[in-house]
Amino acid sequence: MEDKQETVRQIRAFNRFYTVLLGFLNRDYFGSGYSVTETRILFELKQGGQMSASQLIDMLHLDKSYISRLIRSLEQKALLTRYPSEKDGRARILALTPAGQAEADRLIEITNSKLYELVAPLSGEACDGLCQAMDTIIRSFGHADL
């Protein structure tokens, strides 16, 4: 039991460190003008093409009303559009607009640049160790598809 308690303590310490390091708690993620959640929605739509709000809710484990507000905001900014699903008339499909595609690309570049700044001083061996540690975390929690 003691090992598990220490594991939980270390996970929590890591989470506190990592969320601050990458600015996940900031309203303005990496100075992008968007929250982490808005950035993630744009990224998922960029990666997955089109999807329903329900798919985003399931994927990101977000509250329906919260994601609805974010979608509405991104739609008002002309970054995404909604249209009726051909398969289910009640469902609405989300897709990035050309401006949304460009913004998603910009956000990906900002994130990649900031992460590169973090790993730039590391040796190749240290980068390998970091990648192995992250792979271990993913495998340990059984979410290799994330």
Side-chain angles (χ1 to χ4, degrees):
M1 180 78 167
E2 191 65 24
D3 290 344
K4 303 288 185 189
Q5 288 177 337
E6 179 59 19
T7 300
V8 167
R9 190 195 67 71
Q10 292 221 1
I11 289 170
R12 293 191 58 180
F14 174 78
N15 285 344
R16 287 190 303 275
F17 165 77
Y18 193 70
T19 55
V20 171
L21 176 70
L22 292 185
F24 290 159
L25 304 177
N26 299 341
R27 286 191 164 175
D28 188 11
Y29 177 65
F30 286 149
S32 67
Y34 301 96
S35 69
V36 171
T37 310
E38 290 170 314
T39 301
R40 183 66 185 268
I41 289 170
L42 293 172
F43 175 78
E44 292 302 339
L45 288 170
K46 170 83 176 164
Q47 294 298 107
Q50 305 167 352
M51 64 182 65
S52 68
S54 295
Q55 289 171 300
L56 276 173
I57 289 166
D58 291 343
M59 180 185 303
L60 302 177
H61 304 281
L62 294 173
D63 177 74
K64 183 179 179 179
S65 60
Y66 178 53
I67 205 160
S68 292
R69 286 191 306 274
L70 294 177
I71 288 168
R72 211 171 314 115
S73 172
L74 293 169
E75 190 176 31
Q76 288 171 351
K77 294 174 184 172
L79 299 177
L80 64 82
T81 187
R82 291 188 270 188
Y83 59 90
S85 169
E86 292 178 9
K87 296 177 183 175
D88 180 356
R90 299 168 298 168
R92 307 278 288 168
I93 301 299
L94 308 172
L96 293 178
T97 63
Q101 292 279 347
E103 197 62 2
D105 289 339
R106 183 181 80 86
L107 294 168
I108 289 167
E109 180 56 36
I110 288 170
T111 301
N112 288 347
S113 177
K114 293 295 184 181
L115 292 173
Y116 185 80
E117 287 176 21
L118 289 173
V119 300
L122 302 179
S123 68
E125 185 177 313
C127 286
D128 288 345
L130 181 60
C131 288
Q132 288 173 5
M134 289 184 293
D135 185 55
T136 298
I137 291 168
I138 291 169
R139 281 185 291 107
S140 294
F141 288 117
H143 300 293
D145 61 331
L146 293 180

